[in-house]
Structures are given as C-alpha cells and as structure tokens.
Amino acid sequence: MRACLVAFCCGIGLLQLQSDLPSVRLLGLLPLLSAVLLLPRAQAGGYVIVRRAGILLLCAALGFAWAAWRAELRLAERLPASWEGADLELVGVVSELPRVDALGERFAFDVERILTPGGPLLARIQLTRYWPREGTRIPTVRAGERWRLTVRLKRVYGTHNPHGFDLEAWMLERGVGAVGYVRETPAPQRLAARAHTPDAWVDAARQTIRDRIFATLGDAPYAGVIAALVIGDQRSIPDAQWRAFTRTGVNHLLSISGLHVTMIAALAGWAVAFAWRRVPRAAARWPARQAGLVAAVMAAFAYALLAGYQVPAQRTLYMLIALAAAFWGRREPRPFGALVWAAFVVLLIDPWAVVSAGFWLSFGAMTAILWVTFGRVERPSALSGWVTVQGAVTLALAPALLLLFQQVSLVSPLANAVAIPVVSWLITPLALLGTLVPGLWQLAAWLMAGLGQGLEWAGSLSWATLTRPAPDGWAVALALCGIVWGLMPRGFPLRPLAWLLWLPLAFPASVKLLPGEFTAEVIDVGQGTSVLIRTASRTLLYDTGAAFAESDAGARIVAPYLRASGVAKLDGVIVSHDDNDHSGGLRSVLRDVPTGWLLHGLPAGSPLLIDAPAPRRCMRGQHWHWDGVRFEILNPRPRAWRETGRRDNDFSCVLRVSRGGRSLLITGDAERRGELELLESGLPLAATVLVAGHHGSRTSSLPEFVERVRPAYAAFAVGYRNRFGHPHPEVVARFRSQGSVLLRSDRDGLIRLRFGEAGVEASQYRATQRRYWQTPFTRE
C-alpha cells in the first residue's frame, strides 16, 4: 500500500513539471492500465514483478490524472484577459488576515456574487485598498466581513528568473485567480460584520486574537512572533527578524511547526487521559487511552485550523491521525507509514503543495528524524539522541536548502539546541494560554526578546551561513543518496565513503568566460532595471530595481539571483540615478553582497550613500578595463552636476561595455536632453545591444539616437501591464524599423546576452522554463 501511495504522489509531482496540461484523451489510457488488476495473483517470478509494476504505474497515472483535473478546475477560475483593466462589482467575504503596509490594506477576497452583467467566473482574488492621499490611515477591512466592492483587476503575473520565487505557482496554490485594487467610487459597502460561513468564523476568530495580541503588546519588538506562534501570521514578523531567524536556521520554529502541533496534542491527550482515569463512570464506558487519543487529535486539528492550516501543521495532523488509529486498534505504530499517508492526504487535498519549499523541508526533516531513531537496536542517551537528531536534520535538509535558497546555516545546530526547548516548551504554551490570560503574552514576548537578541547576534556573524551557487538536480540526488548511506546504523559497510557523494554539491560546476568575453543579464525585476555584467573574473551590477512597501527588489530578486548564479561578491555597482525603480534595492544589495565600489548619479546627501563603499559620481571620461573588456561612462558631463534645472533622469549614468565590434549600451532613464548630449559628444554610440532608455518611454529613444546606435537587439526592462504603458508603441515601431530584435523582460523573463567571438547570443528564461500555470503574455 505504501508503494502505491508513493506512486500516486509521484504522479502528482510529474504533472507539476509539465509545460502544458495534458489532453483529456490521455485519460482513455486509465481503463487500459486498470486491466492489470484483472491479472491473477497466483503466479511467481517475473510475472509478479510485472503485475506489481503495472499497479504502481496505474497509481502514478491516477495521481497524474487527479492533479490534471484539479488544475483544470483551478485555471478555469482565473481572470480572462478580456477583463483586465475593467471595473467589476462584486460581493464577497474578506478571507485570511488583511495585511497593512505603507501603501494600504492588502487582503484576499472570496467572491460570492458578481453583480456586473456577463462578469467572469472568479472564486478568490487578491486586493489592495490604497490609503487616501489625505486624512487618517485607519484599517477598515477585517477578516470574515462581507463587502460589496467595485474593483479593477489584472491576471496574476510574476517575475521570472532562475531559482526565483514563482508568484504564479504560489497564487495558484492559494486559489487566487486575479489581483487588483478597490475603487473608491462607488464607495465600498460593508454588508455584514461577520459572514455566516465556517471559514469566515475561523478567519474572524484569528483576526480578533491578532488584534488582542497587538493591543496587549503594543510596539513590543517581538509582538509579530507571538502572533505567528498563536495564529500562524508569519507576515507580522519584520523582515530584519526573519533574516536573523533564517541565518540561524530557527525560522521553522517561529511559525506553526509540526513540533508545536505535536506538543499541543501531547499535552491535551495527557491531560484528558489523566482526568478521565479519575472519573470511574467515564473510564468504565470508554478507556482513558482512547479518550486521550481523541483529545490529542482534536487539539491538533483546532490548533492547525487556528494557525491557517499550513503544510507543516497538516503533515503533523495527518500523521497523528494515522498513529492514533494504530494505537486505537492496539496495533504496532508504523511512523514511516504514517508519514507516507500524511504526504498522500496533503497532496490529495492540495496537489500544488509539491512545488512549495515548505512541503519538502517539512517532510524531509521528519523523514530524517525517523531514519535515525525508528527501528534502531541501540538506545542512545538523551544527549546523544538529541545530537544525532539535530545532526541528521541539518545534513538531510542541506541539499534542499542549497537547491532552494543557496545557503545553509552553520550555526543552526547550536541555535536550535537553545531555541527549540525555549520556544516549544516555554514561549509557545505561554502564547497560547495568553488567549485566556492576555497578561501571559507579555511574559512570552519578554522571553522571546531575550532569545531574539541572541539569535540576532548569532545571525550577524560573518560565518553564520554557507552560501553556494545553485546546484544541479543530479548533484542534489547524489548528496541525498550519501545522506541515506552515511546515516545507516553503525557497522554498515563503507559508511565514511558516503560523504564523497557530496563533492558535486559542495563544488558545483560553473560556466567560465574567456578573456575578452562578457555576459549581460537583464534581471526581471518588474517595472525597474537591474543588469548584471560579468567578465572572466569580474562582476558589475547596473541598478538594483525598486523598493516596495515593506521590502525591495534587491532583497527579493537581485541578491537571491546573484547568490544562485555564483556571484559571491560584486567588484562594482552603478546606480544610474535617483529614481526608485533603479535605486530602491541598493541598500539590500550592499547589505547582502560584498561590494568593491559604487558609481552613482544620486544627489549629494542622498541617504542611499550612507555606508556605501567608495562612492563616486558618474562622469564622462571615466573608464576601466576588466579581462580585456572596456567599460566607459559616456554621460553625464562633469559640468552637469553644477546645473540647477537638470531633471533627475538626465543625470543617468550612461555605460558602454565593448570588446572589438561587440558592445552593450545602457542609458538608464536618460531622456531627450541626455540623448542629445550623447549625439553631440562625438563619442562612439553604435552598439550591438541597447537597453532601451527609460523602459521604452516616449521621452527617450529619439529617432536620431536610435539611428545612430542601430542596435541588433533592443531590450526593454518593463513590468507586466505597468501603469506607464512602457514600452510605448511608437518606440517599439522605431526599433523595428531599424531591424532590431526586440526583447522585453515582462514577456521573456530574465534576458541573458553572451558577447563572444562568434557574436551575441540571446536567450530568454521564460521560454525555456515554461509551466502550465504561467499566465500567457498579452499586450494591453
């Protein structure tokens, strides 16, 4: 049975690797595969193997078909392209917990009715209600309320970079079919303070508890952690704290983890069984052991529900149910079987969980714990067992962490040795009891503050994490085989040699450039610019993307991509000028990636220059050579910094990178004035590749400038359906008339350009990594 369940789960995973959903005609193969069940069992030898292989293939096909059917239903709830940008009047319920930031209130909205005639089928959407330009900023939306809203929507469309966050997959798993904002005309109407549905009651209860936590703790630094432990509201934890928790490897504790659910279930089961034995009449009707099992499962379910029913909580709940069923029937519990059943139920309910990092880390950690504890003859001491489990989990998760995040915490074993007992046995129980006695939240927050200071100190150590480039899948598979081999019981043959299988993971292969070659990678940061330029031994980053309400492209996109692509340090950074979509991610990049120097077009006294390494203004005439490749700044002129009426965009650092007859030109947001200065300068402007100025705005790419540059490739760094309408159709037509190949980051994702002896090779990430859930690109 376990093999069949694993095969079913593998079928679900296989579906998530498809670029397109399979044809319905393929379902006709299921009856043919089902014929294997008609084969008689009373056979031996190879016949039995064939029959069992056929059954496993049938189970995998059923899993594949199940996931495909669920995907068809989910994709049917997405917003059609024809309704993008149109106003829709809806009635629905605020789902989950609204999030408040500098821009407004963000919340999920479960659609009940569409009042607009002929409106599309929608189940859940993600909305933002922006703050008014003037007046107070008081949150008005609460979970569980029913509202009548007029909204303007667009399809879910994320950025696309290697090893980057897949927004479209995440939204698909959550059932979100569109994103948009609330229109204030006509005015939104609250129809009911609480909708009479089970989900709304749970969401309203979570909202009430969160409000009470923050009302009690006020501006206590770790109030968000207490909310995360009680109701699973991880978004309340500030980014700086999350960074410290991630670098110390304890982030799994500061949300709803399986350990917390198990602890609550164990306490509830023990308390009920203890009390039950002391009531003779109850014990005579129903054994105390069974009463305790029921209480444990109910407590685990209630806590998982209160915490938002996340994957770690689901996994633990389903495992507890399987183990409780075994104990109920007085059978010997089989933890590995329970783990397989838990994975089966999780994927049956949520087939897209298999593409989330939490699924693999959660089940991987539990598998490692069972592997080194269950079925062993030798009983270790408590300390020895604790060390063994911590070491096994750290080793088992390292390949997955390097594949998913390209870093592993080196201080994790010691940090967890302190944090697990403090968080699980002190802070979490106090935080949960605080729902009855709110004063206990103060004590829990005080304990968390002490622990948090220690974790922040440990996370600030330069050697706290090991960072490596993203490994290949085969290297991860070899490392996992090495873990299984190396963690075998003592006496297993050649155990020390198992760690040799880690070598490809520890020393990943990389593509080397020859002297005179260089690459330019236009990173997809949405509506903004960030270009990574590499020579044989040097790296330069031009611009860092935008800052958002609570984070920035530097932290979310640029720094993770640098880490995944093997860039351990930047020799230099150029920030073209003082616009958010070019400079917003600078601080995060400088914080996360060691950097040699900064060239900039920022005004004097800019806060972005604080603690910047060797900052200098861009000026025409600056130039340098790296590995036989020439870099030169073409604009602004030195006297431009003394001009008072000059627009910020025309302070843009214009960079030309060249080798022989191949060159790259990046003009930032330089507009008409900046381009005319370049034309009058007499400097060489012809370029093989041009990153179009100002994202393709009408204020740039003058006809005479495009004629002088005559690029073979024109790249537009733009966001999907951006509010500026970039790139402008006139500009696009201008480049087409020159015969330029047009590249755009909203359609192509990351654009990689390699400048070599044979010319320029261009590749687009989105086209090569297609998945069925990706939203088709359409122009406005």
Side-chain angles (χ1 to χ4, degrees), residues 576-579 601-603 617-620 633-654 667 669-681:
S576 60
H577 65 296
D578 191 27
D579 258 5
L602 302 173
R617 282 177 168 170
C618 293
M619 293 186 189
R620 181 184 296 174
I633 301 296
L634 305 186
N635 229 31
R637 298 171 296 183
R639 68 170 181 265
W641 295 102
R642 299 189 297 272
E643 297 173 356
T644 57
R646 194 177 184 93
R647 291 169 57 89
D648 281 343
N649 285 348
D650 287 320
F651 281 105
S652 291
C653 304
V654 178
T667 62
D669 277 356
E671 297 182 334
R672 178 182 179 84
R673 181 174 183 175
E675 292 185 351
L676 288 176
E677 288 175 353
L678 289 170
L679 290 171
E680 295 167 358
S681 68

Side-chain angles (χ1 to χ4, degrees), residues 80-143:
S82 58
W83 280 94
E84 286 190 295
D87 286 353
L88 282 171
E89 191 174 6
L90 312 171
V91 172
V93 177
V94 178
S95 177
E96 301 177 356
L97 295 174
R99 184 178 185 181
V100 177
D101 58 31
L103 295 179
E105 303 172 87
R106 303 177 187 273
F107 55 94
F109 194 68
D110 289 339
V111 179
E112 295 179 323
R113 286 181 295 150
I114 297 179
L115 304 181
T116 302
L121 173 67
L122 295 171
R124 172 177 287 192
I125 57 178
Q126 185 80 28
L127 294 174
T128 299
R129 188 176 186 185
Y130 293 106
W131 300 120
R133 294 184 178 180
E134 299 179 356
T136 59
R137 296 183 173 185
I138 301 176
T140 58
V141 176
R142 293 174 58 82

